[in-house]
Amino acid sequence: MATFWHIVKLDLFYSLPQTFMIWALSFSLLEQKPERLVRKLILLTVTTSVYTDALVFFLPFQLHVINSMLANAAMLFLLFRSLPLKHKLGIFVSAYLIAIVTDLLFTQIVMAITGLTDRDAILQGPLWVLIVGLYPVLLAEGLLALYIRKKKLKTIRKLFTKVVHSWSTGLGKLVVLVALQFILLGLIQFFHADQSESELIVSVLVCAAIVLSLISLVSVVRLLASAREEAARMAQEVYVEDISRMFTSIRGQRHDFLNHVQVMHTMLKLGKSDELKAYMADIVKDIQDVSGIVHHPSPPLAAFLKAKTAVAESRNIKFTCELSDTWNDQSTIRTIDVVKIVGNLVNNAFDEVEQLPPEERRVHADIRCHPEHIELVVNNRGRVLSDMELKRIFKPGYTTKRNEHSGLGLSIVHERVNHYKGTIDVQSNSTDGTTFRITLPHKHTPPAEGSGSILFG
């Protein structure tokens, strides 16, 4: 009879709330919430908890863990048949990692309060021990699940989806290594608490955890190196089309050079001096544009602005730009980052003014090099941004555009400005339109997370 009441107590005050909260937190990681989720989680919780707890005092711990995993896996696959297999596996693994963390925290709290070190003694102890040790942990998990779901933390859910769909990539392998470390940590805690077990097992597990930690460290370094290479490749791809247009324009000038000579020769023979002067002025202007790119202290920036001018012409936008004739060779600011920042701002400005009549489509960009800093300014006509938009425009994924825009352009700008400890000033009014003014100091130290400043007006 005593064993029966222990099982009932374990079900009502330990297993049921713990199992439900663990599954709820795991399912909050999904981008799309399954239908009738709460009902299915209650059924999953009650079925698995009653079944496994009925055998908890009769099976060795190892068999109990295996039995629990098989029961939960079977119910998960049965109740959520419409969920993709990768998502079910990701949820299953996440649930057991959360369960390990929950059990570790619960055990540590109880040990600190009561001094009990044996797991069976804790489970068969007074009811208040279970409540005081477990419920604060469950409350924290519940609040985290609500925050992820209600606050729409897309970054966490997108990361979970990315990991689920990329087990074979560097990120997936790193997650697997971290999961194995959590499992080892749980086993170390269990065998350490079980006084009947040999210390040799704990020592072996500790060594295995150290080896996994070193492998994880190497994986992180390799992943960071790969991420840098991927970022550089993506930055090149973003602007390759614009640069290609510029070079097409230059090749066209060379190809048409003979035609220009023939036209000027004919005009000269016919005595059309005024028309000849105007025609030559246009040719000289094109040649000076190309020459300015070649001879500018920062040819990539000059070529970039020329490319954007060609894009603006193709989209019937009046684009004007100014670029400093001098450039600070000692600056720690990389040219590719200046191109990233101005490119994203100009692209956004082009998209914004395209909603206006052709005669009102105006965008202006300034890239000025001062002794202590670089100043980047992009202005466009168009609608006035609201206070809410000004607060949210730099958040990843936020966009007011259609046609499947990613909403990452301004978040990239924000990240690069933070990197250089710069400032962003955004002004939007009906008189001057919307202006982004960015200042980047030439010399900077690596910033702390979230540094940099943003001003809105």
Side-chain angles (χ1 to χ4, degrees), residues 96-151:
Y96 270 87
L97 291 178
I98 295 171
I100 290 172
V101 174
T102 303
D103 200 62
L104 287 173
L105 293 174
F106 162 67
T107 306
Q108 293 300 318
I109 292 174
V110 172
M111 286 181 178
I113 294 176
T114 65
L116 294 173
T117 58
D118 183 70
R119 180 182 176 84
D120 289 339
I122 293 174
L123 295 179
Q124 297 183 34
L127 179 61
W128 69 268
V129 172
L130 293 179
I131 295 176
V132 172
L134 181 64
Y135 282 51
V137 180
L138 297 185
L139 178 61
E141 291 177 351
L143 292 175
L144 179 59
L146 286 174
Y147 186 75
I148 292 174
R149 181 57 61 185
K150 297 297 183 181
K151 294 294 183 179

Side-chain angles (χ1 to χ4, degrees), residues 170 173-174 177 181 210-226:
K173 293 176 181 177
L174 179 61
L177 288 171
Q181 290 180 72
I210 293 173
V211 171
L212 281 178
S213 299
L214 293 175
I215 296 174
S216 299
L217 180 61
V218 173
S219 298
V220 169
V221 173
R222 294 179 62 183
L223 191 62
L224 289 174
S226 176

Side-chain angles (χ1 to χ4, degrees), residues 254-272:
R254 294 182 59 187
H255 180 269
D256 293 335
F257 182 72
L258 182 59
N259 293 333
H260 293 320
V261 172
Q262 291 174 344
V263 170
M264 289 188 292
H265 178 68
T266 303
M267 284 184 176
L268 185 60
K269 288 178 64 176
L270 296 175
K272 305 284 188 180

Side-chain angles (χ1 to χ4, degrees), residues 17-313:
Q18 181 188 35
T19 304
F20 180 82
M21 199 60 66
I22 287 171
W23 284 116
L25 180 55
S26 300
F27 273 93
S28 69
L29 299 174
L30 288 177
E31 292 190 270
Q32 296 294 331
K33 180 181 176 182
E35 295 181 359
R36 298 188 296 276
L37 176 61
V38 176
R39 295 181 184 178
K40 292 180 179 179
L41 288 185
I42 292 175
L43 181 58
L44 173 63
T45 299
V46 173
T47 304
T48 56
S49 296
V50 171
Y51 168 70
T52 56
D53 286 346
L55 302 174
V56 68
F57 293 113
F58 305 101
L59 291 176
F61 177 76
Q62 295 85 346
L63 292 180
H64 170 69
V65 171
I66 295 174
N67 181 56
S68 174
M69 292 179 68
L70 291 175
N72 279 281
M75 290 300 298
L76 177 66
F77 278 73
L78 179 65
L79 293 174
F80 297 93
R81 284 170 290 183
S82 61
L83 205 62
L85 178 60
K86 288 184 177 181
H87 285 185
K88 281 186 279 198
L89 291 175
I91 289 295
F92 184 76
V93 173
S94 300
Y96 270 87
L97 291 178
I98 295 171
I100 290 172
V101 174
T102 303
D103 200 62
L104 287 173
L105 293 174
F106 162 67
T107 306
Q108 293 300 318
I109 292 174
V110 172
M111 286 181 178
I113 294 176
T114 65
L116 294 173
T117 58
D118 183 70
R119 180 182 176 84
D120 289 339
I122 293 174
L123 295 179
Q124 297 183 34
L127 179 61
W128 69 268
V129 172
L130 293 179
I131 295 176
V132 172
L134 181 64
Y135 282 51
V137 180
L138 297 185
L139 178 61
E141 291 177 351
L143 292 175
L144 179 59
L146 286 174
Y147 186 75
I148 292 174
R149 181 57 61 185
K150 297 297 183 181
K151 294 294 183 179
K152 300 180 179 180
L153 295 183
K154 295 181 180 179
T155 304
I156 295 178
R157 298 204 293 268
K158 285 182 178 180
L159 178 61
F160 174 80
T161 302
K162 185 176 181 179
V163 170
V164 164
H165 289 283
S166 59
W167 291 110
S168 60
T169 64
L171 179 61
K173 293 176 181 177
L174 179 61
V175 171
V176 171
L177 288 171
V178 173
L180 290 175
Q181 290 180 72
F182 270 106
I183 293 172
L184 285 176
L185 186 62
L187 292 174
I188 291 171
Q189 174 63 32
F190 166 72
F191 285 113
H192 179 70
D194 192 341
Q195 302 297 327
S196 65
E197 295 292 338
S198 171
E199 293 184 0
L200 177 62
I201 298 178
V202 176
S203 301
V204 171
L205 292 174
V206 169
C207 291
I210 293 173
V211 171
L212 281 178
S213 299
L214 293 175
I215 296 174
S216 299
L217 180 61
V218 173
S219 298
V220 169
V221 173
R222 294 179 62 183
L223 191 62
L224 289 174
S226 176
R228 288 195 189 97
E229 293 176 359
E230 181 68 11
R233 185 188 63 79
M234 291 178 64
Q236 292 173 0
E237 289 181 353
V238 167
Y239 303 108
V240 68
E241 183 179 352
D242 290 345
I243 301 299
S244 295
R245 290 183 183 179
M246 182 200 67
F247 282 112
T248 299
S249 175
I250 294 174
R251 287 195 297 268
Q253 290 179 14
R254 294 182 59 187
H255 180 269
D256 293 335
F257 182 72
L258 182 59
N259 293 333
H260 293 320
V261 172
Q262 291 174 344
V263 170
M264 289 188 292
H265 178 68
T266 303
M267 284 184 176
L268 185 60
K269 288 178 64 176
L270 296 175
K272 305 284 188 180
S273 58
D274 292 337
E275 291 84 350
L276 178 59
K277 289 179 182 178
Y279 189 78
M280 290 181 67
D282 289 338
I283 295 176
V284 169
K285 182 180 181 301
D286 286 345
I287 294 174
Q288 287 176 340
D289 287 343
V290 176
S291 178
I293 294 173
V294 174
H295 297 291
H296 192 274
S298 180
L301 290 178
F304 163 73
L305 291 177
K306 175 64 177 175
K308 285 302 176 189
T309 301
V311 173
E313 290 176 356

